[in-house]
Amino acid sequence: MKIRPHLLLAVIAVVLAAVTGCSVSNSGDSSKPTIRLAYQSFPSGDLIVKNNHWLEEALPDYNIVWTKFDSGADINTAFIAKKVDFGAIGSSPVARGLSDPLRIGYKVAFVLDVAGDNEALVARNGTGIESVADLKGKRVATAFASTAHYSLLAALAQAHVDPKSVDIIDLQPQASLAAWQRGDVDAVYTWLPTLDELRKTGKQLISSRQLATDGKPTLDLGVVRSDFAAKNPKVVDAWRQVQARALNLIKSDPAAAAKAVAAQIGTTEADAAAQLSQGIFLTPAQIASPEWLGTQGPPGNVAHNLRAAAEFLKEQNQIPSVPSQADFDAAIYTEGLPGVFDDVH
């Protein structure tokens, strides 16, 4: 699809306006090159890597700069502006990012987790909402262009509810919690840790685990800027290895994993352990299999999952067109797999 000049200018204007509100630091030793990572505060191996300084240990000749973002849409904006090199981002915003009009030059290099009960739709007590079908005419909050937004639309489609009959508003997790507490919204589709706060005074209607079972899975992915990966393959290998190490820790020493995550999201270790238990974390061997990323050469099923997400977004008029499967295949970074994980413990 050819983008009309006025549409492209509009996209650029939005990007530049948004980036001015995101402070991505480039501080550190000026004699070292800098690697910039975008992270989110959902419980994952990415937070373990950050908390334990594993990437800093693996790459001592680089400045490592971590910047927190509230959603995948914000991270997409930062990638467009070339403000970050790596990012932790959901599959729905990645599908959107690879499609028109954004066409972001990044590649999927890791699967952080598969969404389970760590993302869900919750209705506020007292609203009379007992099922997804009851959302007609109600005010529902979610972060636009996120996996939660994708899952909300999938849940509405499954329940035969026209999205136009629901007042869907764009709110980041903390803003949606504040709106919930004021009584300004009737339901919210979001992720941990905000999700657990909503559950205290609400009824869960459906989770992303249920939607995955019904054929609409969502993932949290690790992406890397394409030009950065081409120039720095050893850095990408080191990053994948510490991410794989974090996945191994979640399975081999849940207490240590919870301790690291708790320090990053500001909660108790018991609460962090409970949050981690709601996600689905793959093993490095699973990631480097046809079911997920695949091996060097043929991309795995993640490429098909992303195209399916784009097709759904097109049906919901969230994007103007769907790229070819070849485009999604090319966006999967499988260099060195599975061998890059051989020495990870």
Side-chain angles (χ1 to χ4, degrees), residues 243-267:
Q243 292 290 350
R245 181 181 173 188
L247 288 183
N248 287 342
L249 187 72
I250 291 172
K251 293 186 181 296
S252 67
D253 194 345
K259 182 177 181 179
V261 169
Q264 287 298 308
I265 64 178
T267 189

Side-chain angles (χ1 to χ4, degrees), residues 6 23 37 75 110 112-113 156 173 176 191 198 206 214-215 251 254 264 266 268 270 292 331 338:
H6 73 279
S23 177
L37 300 105
I75 292 176
F110 205 79
L112 297 171
D113 67 78
L156 292 175
S176 67
W191 54 86
L198 301 176
I206 195 168
D214 295 335
K251 293 186 181 296
Q264 287 298 308
T268 66
W292 301 101

